[in-house]
Each structure stands twice: as C-alpha cells, then as structure tokens.
Amino acid sequence: LDLGGNKFKEKGLRALLKLLNDISSIANTYNSNHTLTHIDLSNSSPCSKYAEMEKHILSSLTINRCSDAPSQKKVIETQLNSVLRMELCHLQGIEYSYNSIFANIDDVFLPNIIALVGRKHGQDELYRMLIATAPDLTSIISRRAVLPERIAENAAQVVALNAAHVRQVADLKAENLQQTAALDVKRLELERELESIESGQGGVHSLADTSIASIQRSSGKKRDRSV
C-alpha cells in the first residue's frame, strides 16, 4: 500500500495502527488485518509519538509478511507482553489495565497461557502474570479437586433420570392396557345390545305377518257366508 504521497497526522497513523493490531481485546487483535504486508509512510511527521506509531505499524506488517500464523503471533507478542500492550493502549487511546486481559480468558486456559508467557517473554512477565492470576489459579486447583465428585453426581443423575423414564413408560403402558380393556368391554356390551334390538325387531315383524294372515282369512270367511 503506497501512501508516500500523504502526510499523515496522529489520527491517520492511529487508524492504521488499530487496523493492523487493535489492542482493545485479544479477540480484536486476533481479528485485525493480517494480509497487508507493506505500507509506504515516507512523508509522515518526524515527531516522537508518530515515530512510535510507525514502529508498531512496521512491526505488525513484518508479522503479517513473515509469520505463518500472524493472528496468533500478534496476540502472543503484544497482548501477552504487558510493556508492549501498555504502549499500544496509550498510542490507540485505550485505557490500560494489566488485569483487563484476563476478562476474556477462560480460567481453565490460564496455566497454559502462563507457561507460554514464561517461554516467550521471560521471568519478569511470568511473575507479573502469576501475581495477577493467583486467585483464579487457586480456584482452578480447588475446582479440579471437586470435579471427579461432580462427574460422579452427574452420572448418578443420568441413571436416576433413565430409571424414572422407564417407570413412566411402564405406567403409561399399564394405563393404556386398562383403558383398552375397558373400551373392549364397552364395545361387547354395545354389540350385545345391537343384537338384542335386531332380534327383537325380527320377532315384531313375524308377529305382524301372522296377524295380517289371520285378518285376511277372517275376511275370506265373511265373504263366503254372505254369498
């Protein structure tokens, strides 16, 4: 990116620096621009503050150009180095607090991060981080001792839940069988009632036919006498 024809002031350099390495959080550093590899800043102001910004801009460009994992390297080199992080916060107009970095880190990962800081930035940085994270590390140790018991409790809850499910299924099956049996009984009663009605109607029809035949015979006899 050739910006040599532009005379940068503080606001412009700060915007470029934040584009390449936003120090406001680990996530923002990780998601900063990692593809820009060259910027020509030959016409920028020579004042000391601008020079500091240019130094960090060029450092970020070097990481982008030379590292296989620039996002991770920027986090390790700047976020986990309290001196550089303080400088970048000051240059980007961000309030610096050493402990603010830990708000975005899960306590479980602290031991690994502390070991990484010791390897990359030396004993002084390691000591500062240990002091800042001592309460959280103590909590992790206590939690680690409790976790097996919590896991066993969780397994027992799963067993109890499965047993309750089996009981509920059995109760539902029993209730279903009971209701089905009651409905079968009711169906049989209705079928008998229907048979009874149908057989009764057959008897009525037979009686009616007999009566009609008797009336017809009686009428025939009457006609014979009158003749």
Side-chain angles (χ1 to χ4, degrees):
L1 182 62
D2 185 0
L3 300 174
N6 297 276
K7 189 172 183 180
F8 277 91
K9 294 185 178 180
E10 181 178 346
K11 186 175 181 180
L13 286 174
R14 181 180 293 121
L16 275 177
L17 177 57
K18 196 163 187 175
L19 171 71
L20 292 164
N21 188 354
D22 185 345
I23 202 67
S24 59
S25 70
I26 289 178
N28 288 339
T29 295
Y30 190 88
N31 293 317
S32 296
N33 181 285
H34 308 304
T35 57
L36 193 58
T37 57
H38 294 86
I39 298 179
D40 183 359
L41 296 172
S42 57
N43 284 347
S44 59
S45 173
C47 80
S48 60
K49 189 171 185 179
Y50 292 3
E52 283 295 308
M53 287 187 180
E54 284 188 31
K55 179 186 76 173
H56 288 292
I57 288 171
L58 293 175
S59 175
S60 294
L61 291 172
T62 301
I63 292 175
N64 285 355
R65 187 167 56 251
C66 301
S67 175
D68 293 332
S71 55
Q72 297 175 18
K73 188 170 180 62
K74 285 179 186 177
V75 170
I76 293 170
E77 295 295 331
T78 60
Q79 286 285 354
L80 300 183
N81 184 321
S82 61
V83 175
L84 284 179
R85 188 158 66 91
M86 183 168 58
E87 288 180 10
L88 287 166
C89 282
H90 174 68
L91 292 172
Q92 294 182 25
I94 297 169
E95 184 178 354
Y96 171 78
S97 169
Y98 182 82
N99 289 341
S100 64
I101 188 176
F102 304 114
N104 301 311
I105 299 176
D106 194 314
D107 292 347
V108 174
F109 300 119
L110 280 179
N112 293 332
I113 292 173
I114 290 171
L116 178 63
V117 167
R119 290 196 303 270
K120 295 291 184 179
H121 302 303
Q123 297 299 312
D124 289 344
E125 194 67 43
L126 174 63
Y127 180 69
R128 280 194 288 269
M129 184 167 279
L130 283 172
I131 292 175
T133 59
D136 295 321
L137 290 173
T138 302
S139 174
I140 292 172
I141 294 171
S142 301
R143 182 169 176 77
R144 185 170 293 169
V146 171
L147 281 177
E149 182 180 347
R150 296 290 301 277
I151 291 171
E153 290 177 357
N154 180 269
Q157 289 174 354
V158 170
V159 171
L161 187 63
N162 288 335
H165 174 71
V166 170
R167 286 195 301 271
Q168 289 175 351
V169 170
D171 290 343
L172 286 172
K173 286 183 177 179
E175 183 179 356
N176 179 267
L177 290 173
Q178 185 178 12
Q179 291 180 354
T180 301
L183 290 171
D184 285 340
V185 170
K186 183 66 175 177
R187 177 178 55 80
L188 290 173
E189 290 177 353
L190 293 172
E191 288 176 351
R192 288 196 205 91
E193 183 179 354
L194 179 60
E195 290 177 0
S196 175
I197 291 172
E198 288 179 344
S199 62
Q201 287 179 343
V204 169
H205 289 310
S206 177
L207 180 60
D209 292 341
T210 303
S211 299
I212 291 171
S214 299
I215 293 170
Q216 288 176 341
R217 285 195 299 272
S218 175
S219 298
K221 290 178 180 179
K222 290 180 178 179
R223 284 196 299 272
D224 290 343
R225 288 194 194 105
S226 60
V227 172

